[in-house]
Amino acid sequence: MSRTRTALLAAMALVAGATGTAFAVDPGGVGTAAVPCTVDYKIQNQWSTGFTAAVTVTNNSAAKSSWSLKWSYAGDQKVTSGWNAKLSQSGAAVTAANESYNAQLATGGSVSFGFQGSYSGSNAVPATFTLDGVTCNVDDGGNPGPTDPPDPGGPSNRVDNPYAGAKVYVNPEWSAHAAAEPGGSRVSNQPTGVWLDRIAAINGAGGKMGLRAHLDEALRQKGSGELVVQLVIYNLPGRDCSALASNGELKPDEIGRYKTEYIDPIKAILADSKYSSLRIVTTVEIDSLPNLVTNTGSRPTAVPQCDVMKANGNYVKGVGYALNKLGDVPNVYNYVDAGHHGWIGWDDNFGPSAALFKEAATAEGATVNDVHGFITNTANYSALKENNFTINDNVAGKSVRESKWVDWNRYVDELSFAQGFRNQLVSAGFNSGIGMLIDTSRNGWGGAARPTGPGAQTSVDTYVDGGRYDRRIHPGNWCNQSGAGLGERPKAAPAAGIDAYVWMKPPGESDGSSKAIPNDEGKGFDRMCDPTYEGNPRNNNHMSGALPDAPLSGQWFSAQFRQLMQNAYPPLS
């Protein structure tokens, strides 16, 4: 659907056709280096009322410490949102100015940005571009003609379930770690999430692959079929206010850096037409929004850092901005993190969490249409399905809800919670077609400790504790849990309302260090990762249940991975 036209508008004669389309005149074979700048303006996707475009500017003149590109439309096109440049419009005239992180433009250097726009009638490519007042040439490269079909990746053409009929990307870095462990080859071909947990991860940090490298590898793995790439968007300012082990690099007030140095560059890469054939699933900001419900105010679980993030609104703003910008990319599917049943399954958390998610999904220009679904149990250990007791059971005159383990929660496992919370989210205003993902990477709880039937009916506690698969000391324990096992293997459409079981947290990557370890990633030390810690109000002052000798969060933890394989359920063959 691409038609290429070139216009050299500096030091050359311009011949314009009746439609306003410019064609090249190059006497004597003058090359692009003869002009001061070149602009490549490509319409990537176009539908009945809108379009997305990618623009690349190449500077053939003296190096610049800032830049400003201008053009005018012949029709009624309006720029509605953009990334990687500051875009403004007055009438037909559009200005794109540099962001702070891409202000430098060397001689021969290029910079790219993109935007989404609206139009009616025709959507002609602008005839003239100027860089800092100097006219450039333009190679539009992708203006769809009037008979061209709409691009199959357009916003109206997202599939209902991106996992259906698709392979899922296998991260070669995680796969190599897994395969290097004894018996690891049994699972090293499983797909896992790619965590973009700091700005440097976008281009690759510490010798690891950057985002483009992963997407290029995904294209190789894709072949002729469909392929899903799973990305974890995880770098909010003041990140993870209640868990020091996964604190991030951005301070609570650095929402501007989050937007321009983190989300905008990610969007620019994802919007590259090279990757338009991939189905890109984003898991948006783990553990952020539920903190504002459960760990603020006068609650005994409140922490000062979460009060700060609730007051400044930067979690809501950040999530809204991410959904808005990433949702502009037609082949991106946003799934918002929704905690887990042992966090927001209680009545006083359930409804307020859904309402807060709706607030974030309509902040910073986002709409509920930017949310394809939600994910539960990310990087957590809650059992998928407890078969030995239900919320409706009564033992020795007491409801299961009165047991110390359930503690009046309305949900005892992730599957029932995800399905129930999906209904609540729809009631709160999300689209009825949203799907849920459940992270099953570490919730198998198999091995010798797995109960084979209900517990003794001596009391409601012996009944629940004797029959529960989840063998944690307390459901509030989250760090490197002793006794955990790999859960259900990734699978599309496994149950009603569930788009997929996924391994979003790569098994074998640590949740946090067992002791303080100096690092340049902004990651602190959380006592919940210390096996000697006796707890806090968020786990009702129980022991942490964490494994010893753990490295920093995200680093490979061999002992944990071996235990996960040993306790896998379903068992590994």
Side-chain angles (χ1 to χ4, degrees):
M1 63 174 284
S2 176
R3 299 187 302 174
T4 301
R5 294 178 291 276
T6 302
L8 296 182
L9 301 176
M12 299 178 185
L14 174 66
V15 179
T19 63
T21 302
F23 297 85
V25 177
D26 188 1
V30 179
T32 57
V35 297
C37 46
T38 61
V39 175
D40 183 30
Y41 179 108
K42 290 180 179 175
I43 295 177
Q44 296 180 302
N45 299 292
Q46 181 168 301
W47 54 102
S48 60
T49 59
F51 66 101
T52 59
V55 182
T56 298
V57 184
T58 301
N59 175 35
N60 296 320
S61 302
K64 298 176 180 291
S65 59
S66 64
W67 53 267
S68 176
L69 184 74
K70 296 183 178 182
W71 68 89
S72 292
Y73 284 116
D76 65 351
Q77 296 98 323
K78 299 291 183 186
V79 173
T80 56
S81 64
W83 51 95
N84 242 26
K86 296 185 176 95
L87 287 128
S88 59
Q89 185 168 357
S90 177
V94 179
T95 299
N98 63 271
E99 295 282 7
S100 59
Y101 59 84
N102 61 6
Q104 303 293 324
L105 189 52
T107 302
S110 298
V111 64
S112 297
F113 62 91
F115 62 91
Q116 181 165 321
S118 63
Y119 77 101
S120 62
S122 64
N123 185 22
V125 170
T128 305
F129 292 82
T130 62
L131 180 65
D132 297 332
V134 176
T135 303
C136 302
N137 77 302
V138 57
D139 179 358
D140 74 40
N143 183 35
T147 59
D148 291 332
D151 186 59
S156 61
N157 291 288
R158 285 191 180 96
V159 296
D160 178 61
N161 180 357
Y163 291 86
K167 297 187 296 184
V168 187
Y169 175 63
V170 177
N171 180 347
E173 294 179 316
W174 176 84
S175 181
H177 276 302
E181 299 288 350
S185 60
R186 293 173 293 175
V187 294
S188 60
N189 65 339
Q190 292 292 345
T192 55
V194 174
W195 287 57
L196 301 173
D197 63 353
R198 49 184 168 145
I199 293 167
I202 300 171
N203 292 323
K208 290 188 175 182
M209 297 167 65
L211 178 54
R212 280 194 180 275
H214 281 295
L215 296 176
D216 289 341
E217 170 62 14
L219 289 175
R220 189 193 69 77
Q221 291 184 20
K222 178 181 182 295
S224 59
E226 300 291 346
L227 186 132
V228 171
V229 179
Q230 302 175 124
L231 305 177
V232 178
I233 307 301
Y234 188 52
N235 199 32
L236 276 176
R239 186 178 73 193
D240 226 349
C241 57
S242 68
L244 300 176
S246 45
N247 283 170
E249 63 188 345
L250 300 180
K251 297 176 182 177
D253 61 350
E254 291 189 310
I255 187 68
R257 290 190 65 199
Y258 177 78
K259 293 178 177 181
T260 61
E261 297 181 40
Y262 181 68
I263 293 298
D264 289 353
I266 290 173
K267 176 174 183 176
I269 294 172
L270 300 186
D272 189 330
S273 59
K274 178 181 182 182
Y275 306 121
S276 62
S277 65
L278 298 172
R279 297 177 181 178
I280 301 171
V281 163
T282 62
T283 293
V284 178
E285 295 299 350
I286 311 303
D287 292 348
S288 59
L289 297 175
N291 272 307
L292 303 184
V293 174
T294 65
N295 298 325
T296 57
S298 60
R299 293 195 182 205
T301 54
V303 293
Q305 296 94 322
C306 293
D307 283 326
V308 168
M309 299 317 300
K310 185 172 184 177
N312 68 22
N314 284 342
Y315 277 5
V316 169
K317 294 174 187 174
V319 170
Y321 189 84
L323 291 173
N324 178 19
K325 295 300 180 181
L326 301 179
D328 287 343
V329 183
N331 55 313
V332 165
Y333 298 77
N334 288 321
Y335 288 81
V336 179
D337 183 73
H340 54 88
H341 90 275
W343 190 354
I344 58 176
W346 285 271
D347 291 346
D348 54 349
N349 301 340
F350 197 72
S353 292
L356 181 64
F357 296 162
K358 173 70 178 308
E359 179 185 347
T362 51
E364 298 290 313
T367 74
V368 293
N369 294 326
D370 291 313
V371 178
H372 201 77
F374 292 79
I375 181 169
T376 78
N377 205 44
T378 312
N380 207 264
Y381 298 86
S382 297
L384 179 65
K385 180 64 178 172
E386 293 283 10
N387 293 320
N388 293 327
F389 60 95
T390 76
I391 205 69
N392 299 315
D393 293 349
N394 287 276
V395 175
K398 290 190 175 183
S399 164
V400 157
R401 292 188 69 203
E402 297 181 69
S403 68
K404 292 178 181 177
W405 174 259
V406 178
D407 192 25
W408 298 102
N409 199 321
R410 289 202 181 272
Y411 297 91
V412 300
D413 54 37
E414 280 307 295
L415 180 56
S416 63
F417 168 72
Q419 291 171 326
F421 196 53
R422 179 187 177 280
N423 293 335
Q424 182 70 29
L425 291 160
V426 172
S427 296
F430 286 96
N431 295 331
S432 60
I434 57 172
M436 307 297 285
L437 305 177
I438 301 176
D439 189 345
T440 59
S441 59
R442 304 181 303 178
N443 71 346
W445 295 105
R450 184 179 179 87
T452 57
Q457 296 193 22
T458 312
S459 70
V460 71
D461 287 322
T462 58
Y463 177 71
V464 171
D465 288 340
R468 59 184 170 91
Y469 300 139
D470 187 338
R471 304 313 299 172
R472 285 178 292 177
I473 298 170
H474 188 274
N477 288 352
W478 54 268
C479 193
N480 300 325
Q481 291 299 285
S482 177
L486 300 171
E488 289 281 349
R489 314 308 177 250
K491 181 182 180 182
I498 310 299
D499 281 352
Y501 296 150
V502 297
W503 283 9
M504 201 61 70
K505 171 71 173 182
E509 291 189 2
S510 174
D511 294 319
S513 58
S514 302
K515 58 185 179 182
I517 298 176
N519 66 92
D520 62 357
E521 300 178 35
K523 294 173 180 176
F525 167 54
D526 195 301
R527 289 295 306 279
M528 286 296 288
C529 300
D530 176 356
T532 69
Y533 185 47
E534 296 178 354
N536 56 49
R538 289 180 296 285
N539 78 335
N540 205 19
N541 297 295
H542 285 80
M543 297 296 290
S544 70
L547 290 168
D549 304 319
L552 287 173
S553 63
Q555 294 188 4
W556 189 253
F557 189 5
S558 177
Q560 183 193 46
F561 184 72
R562 296 183 188 197
Q563 183 183 91
L564 291 172
M565 290 193 294
Q566 177 183 342
N567 295 332
Y569 194 88
L572 299 179
S573 56

